[in-house]
Amino acid sequence: MRNRKWLILLLALVILSSTACGNKKTIEEPSSSDTSKDVAQEPAVPQKVDGGIFMLGIGSDPNVMNPLYAGDRVTMTINNAIFSPLYVIDEEGTHFYLAESITPSEDYLTYTLKLKSGLKWHDGEDLNADDIVFTINSITDEKQRANARGSFIIDGKPVEPKKIDDLTVEIILPKVSVPFIDVLGELRPIPEHIFKGEEDLAKSTKNLEPIGSGPFKFKEMKSGEKVELVRFDEYFDGKANLESIVFRVIADPNAANTALLNGELSARYITTADVDKFKADENFNVVLYKEGMLNNMVFRLTNKSLQNKDVRKAIAYGINKDELITGVYKSAEYAEKAYSVFVPSTQFYTDDVEKYDYNVERAKELLKNAGVENLKLRLAYINSSKENEGFALIMQQQLKEIGIELELLPMERGAFYDKLLDASNTDFDLAFNGYVMGVEPNGYKPLFKEKDYNNFMGYVNKELDKKWEEGVMETDKAKRAEIYETIQKQLIEDMVVYPIAYPNSIVAVNKKYGGIEEAKPAPIFMFRDLSKLYIME
């Protein structure tokens, strides 16, 4: 997942200032009747104000407020406000946050990272090179089981960070890794002075009151109720416009919509079923943008029947994707049919893969050849997701036609992720999931590499594991493209993930909030930079 920072409001202020100067008139004492007339004819234009609260609805408590372990949308959204990245590379270029520069050596085996001066942690301590070295070493430490560990292990060996001075770190690679410069940028440092000596960073109680470096700092969390952040006045890019951000836990989507309409929430993701209602309401702006997400169904290979590839392929042929898209998203405006495990914005994406077009007879034939009949499977999904519920009900009827009985297991969000991320869990056989892995194709590797913590399907393909490593080290663009096209085709041939759709995100925002473009709607986080939002009165 994944910086388009920082758009400064100086231009807007200059325009306001010049407009004010250009409209000067001779001031005369108005009569009371003139005043009343002017007020009636010229309503006050809303002005940006300092302070205020922005309230976001979330479906559950965050899991671990530590960027080394965040893997779900709720936790990553909260962490995005608390922890700043070094830099982000996207289609628009490189956007620097904590870093001032990143310079590769001529042989691309050493990267020199320069931090901005004067960086502070939320507790007032200096953020420096020691924190970067500590964070990278924590990620590469196998005992810590950090999510991004696979990206910092190259050809089986960890990268080596070396402090040069308080603001400079050299990172030495064992072999050339083309995507490493992107990987490093997304690093969100954790404070050494807080976590040094902790045996298990994921379970540390320090995560309950996180100390970060972002525009907002942690204030309090009430489980099942809210997480509240307040602005950090010493933030390197200037203090936020808003005084605080409150993430309100509202699991039920209908209750969340009601809260948004009543002004108890400032913004939330909405579904296609809600779009017309919010577009018609003069109190809201509806923002639509590409998320770079793949909504999919994963096969849990702990199920003996699903270990047979023909059974998985039969299920794929038994699903009518057109019905899923029209039944859940209403139209192609809100979602595009997916065929690859990569999204279209990922480098070297291809849809030249097996499409598994709906074919009931082919599905039945594969099941017969596999010696499988009267198959019963359990499908898990988040109970608060209307999309998932829609997929489940449609798919349940479709698979019945090929002789598969689907038991639906809606789960509370937190419980669902706990079970999903545990590859050994056998409480279900299929699960709806969604992921945003970014523009660099190597970002998908952890999902499919043997024994990786993120490979919750239990998928094993040793030849493909080699291909992933080849893709990291190949510098020829055409050859890299060939490698990743082969990977996509093989993953679809093995059918461990069934691609459903590339959805657009739809967000309804109360019109009293400005700065939406500056905050930049973004995958996963809703807004890349919440500090740029402001209230207009």
Side-chain angles (χ1 to χ4, degrees):
M1 177 236 223
R2 315 274 135 155
N3 264 317
R4 310 158 168 138
K5 271 202 182 180
W6 296 82
L7 295 179
I8 305 200
L9 296 174
L10 177 59
L11 180 60
L13 293 174
V14 170
I15 292 172
L16 288 173
S17 175
S18 61
T19 302
C21 293
N23 290 335
K24 286 184 178 178
K25 298 179 181 179
T26 302
I27 300 175
E28 297 179 356
E29 185 73 23
S31 67
S32 58
S33 60
D34 288 340
T35 302
S36 300
K37 183 179 179 181
D38 288 345
V39 170
Q41 291 181 348
E42 299 180 14
V45 177
Q47 299 293 315
K48 172 182 172 181
V49 298
D50 181 64
I53 301 173
F54 190 77
M55 294 175 289
L56 275 172
I58 55 177
S60 68
D61 289 336
N63 287 332
V64 181
M65 287 185 286
N66 183 318
L68 273 59
Y69 302 100
D72 64 286
R73 184 189 292 271
V74 167
T75 310
M76 293 174 74
T77 299
I78 295 172
N79 281 354
N80 181 56
I82 298 175
F83 298 92
S84 288
L86 295 175
Y87 56 88
V88 170
I89 299 174
D90 60 21
E91 61 275 8
E92 297 176 359
T94 303
H95 312 272
F96 288 99
Y97 286 66
L98 300 176
E100 183 176 280
S101 65
I102 179 68
T103 308
S105 60
E106 289 187 5
D107 61 6
Y108 290 93
L109 289 174
T110 302
Y111 288 79
T112 302
L113 175 74
K114 190 79 173 179
L115 294 172
K116 293 176 178 176
S117 61
L119 297 174
K120 295 287 185 182
W121 292 107
H122 291 160
D123 60 0
E125 294 291 323
D126 291 339
L127 191 162
N128 56 39
D130 292 322
D131 298 300
I132 307 303
V133 172
F134 175 78
T135 302
I136 294 176
N137 285 337
S138 297
I139 290 172
T140 58
D141 182 353
E142 188 172 9
K143 297 191 301 293
Q144 298 299 346
R145 298 175 65 83
N147 287 350
R149 182 174 185 271
S151 298
F152 287 82
I153 303 295
I154 301 169
D155 196 31
K157 299 177 182 177
V159 303
E160 296 182 10
K162 179 183 177 183
K163 177 182 177 180
I164 304 302
D165 59 42
D166 281 348
L167 297 179
T168 310
V169 177
E170 280 187 354
I171 300 101
I172 302 166
L173 279 57
K175 281 191 176 181
V176 171
S177 171
V178 174
F180 184 73
I181 193 167
D182 298 77
V183 168
L184 182 64
E186 290 286 359
L187 181 78
R188 295 173 187 263
I190 59 174
E192 180 187 35
H193 70 279
I194 296 294
F195 288 103
K196 188 175 182 179
E198 292 286 312
E199 291 186 7
D200 190 333
L201 296 179
K203 295 180 179 179
S204 171
T205 57
K206 306 290 180 62
N207 296 321
L208 298 175
E209 296 184 2
I211 301 295
S213 57
F216 292 91
K217 60 184 181 180
F218 179 82
K219 180 181 179 182
E220 68 171 335
M221 173 177 169
K222 293 183 178 180
S223 182
E225 184 179 335
K226 70 172 182 176
V227 176
E228 184 172 356
L229 312 180
V230 294
R231 65 183 171 193
F232 178 45
D233 290 346
E234 294 184 76
Y235 183 54
F236 67 87
D237 198 46
K239 73 176 184 178
N241 296 310
L242 296 164
E243 176 63 32
S244 66
I245 306 289
V246 176
F247 298 91
R248 284 194 58 197
V249 180
I250 306 178
D252 179 68
N254 294 320
N257 269 353
T258 299
L260 182 60
L261 290 166
N262 291 341
E264 297 167 22
L265 291 178
S266 309
R268 77 175 298 264
Y269 292 104
I270 60 173
T271 66
T272 53
D274 301 318
V275 169
D276 291 341
K277 174 172 61 179
F278 282 98
K279 279 186 175 181
D281 192 320
E282 62 181 9
N283 295 312
F284 292 93
N285 287 314
V286 175
V287 182
L288 182 72
Y289 62 94
K290 289 188 179 297
E291 176 120 41
M293 172 176 277
L294 172 65
N295 279 342
N296 60 83
M297 182 177 72
V298 300
F299 293 82
R300 192 77 109 181
L301 301 186
T302 48
N303 179 294
K304 187 175 180 179
S305 294
L306 294 181
Q307 291 172 8
N308 187 322
K309 180 167 67 175
D310 281 348
V311 174
R312 303 194 298 268
K313 295 174 78 168
I315 291 172
Y317 279 117
I319 297 171
N320 187 329
K321 193 170 295 185
D322 288 316
E323 282 188 3
L324 291 179
I325 299 297
T326 56
V328 173
Y329 296 108
K330 310 305 179 189
S331 84
E333 179 185 0
Y334 302 114
E336 175 187 350
K337 284 189 291 186
Y339 295 106
S340 172
V341 297
F342 286 12
V343 301
S345 57
T346 297
Q347 194 176 19
F348 311 128
Y349 158 85
T350 181
D351 64 357
D352 183 19
V353 297
E354 175 61 52
K355 300 292 196 297
Y356 294 95
D357 291 328
Y358 184 51
N359 189 329
V360 170
E361 295 309 313
R362 177 62 176 146
K364 289 180 177 179
E365 180 186 4
L366 285 167
L367 289 174
K368 182 179 179 180
N369 292 342
V372 173
E373 58 183 356
N374 300 321
L375 182 60
K376 296 182 179 180
L377 297 172
R378 300 159 298 171
L379 171 63
Y381 55 93
I382 296 172
N383 60 8
S384 61
S385 170
K386 290 184 178 179
E387 288 182 0
N388 286 349
E389 182 182 42
F391 289 146
L393 293 171
I394 294 170
M395 203 175 287
Q396 186 181 49
Q397 294 303 311
Q398 291 177 349
L399 293 184
K400 186 182 293 184
E401 292 185 40
I402 64 170
I404 294 178
E405 181 181 334
L406 211 55
E407 179 186 356
L408 306 186
L409 299 177
M411 297 182 182
E412 184 272 328
R413 180 184 296 268
F416 172 79
Y417 281 117
D418 285 343
K419 294 177 185 293
L420 178 68
L421 299 176
D422 178 5
S424 65
N425 184 279
T426 59
D427 289 354
F428 53 83
D429 312 301
L430 305 166
F432 289 138
N433 185 40
Y435 57 66
V436 177
M437 308 309 292
V439 297
E440 168 52 51
N442 188 59
Y444 293 79
K445 178 175 70 175
L447 297 174
F448 303 102
K449 199 168 188 301
E450 183 180 4
K451 295 182 179 180
D452 193 285
Y453 314 132
N454 299 282
N455 180 357
F456 43 77
M457 292 83 68
Y459 176 62
V460 177
N461 187 322
K462 295 184 184 299
E463 290 302 312
L464 218 55
D465 286 351
K466 293 177 184 177
K467 283 289 183 186
W468 285 112
E469 297 308 320
E470 289 175 17
V472 168
M473 293 180 278
E474 181 56 67
T475 57
D476 183 278
K477 188 172 183 179
K479 291 180 179 178
R480 265 197 111 205
E482 184 178 338
I483 289 169
Y484 287 111
E485 286 173 8
T486 298
I487 287 173
Q488 290 171 79
K489 289 179 179 181
Q490 187 61 56
L491 288 171
I492 291 301
E493 166 64 22
D494 288 347
M495 189 41 66
V496 288
V497 169
Y498 177 79
I500 299 174
Y502 304 123
N504 289 327
S505 281
I506 315 168
V507 179
V509 187
N510 192 298
K511 273 190 177 177
K512 76 175 183 178
Y513 292 95
I516 291 174
E517 288 189 20
E518 296 93 329
K520 195 150 191 178
I524 297 292
F525 312 130
M526 186 181 288
F527 295 106
R528 170 65 68 178
D529 183 6
L530 289 169
S531 75
K532 301 305 181 188
L533 294 174
Y534 54 83
I535 288 178
M536 296 180 294
E537 292 182 352

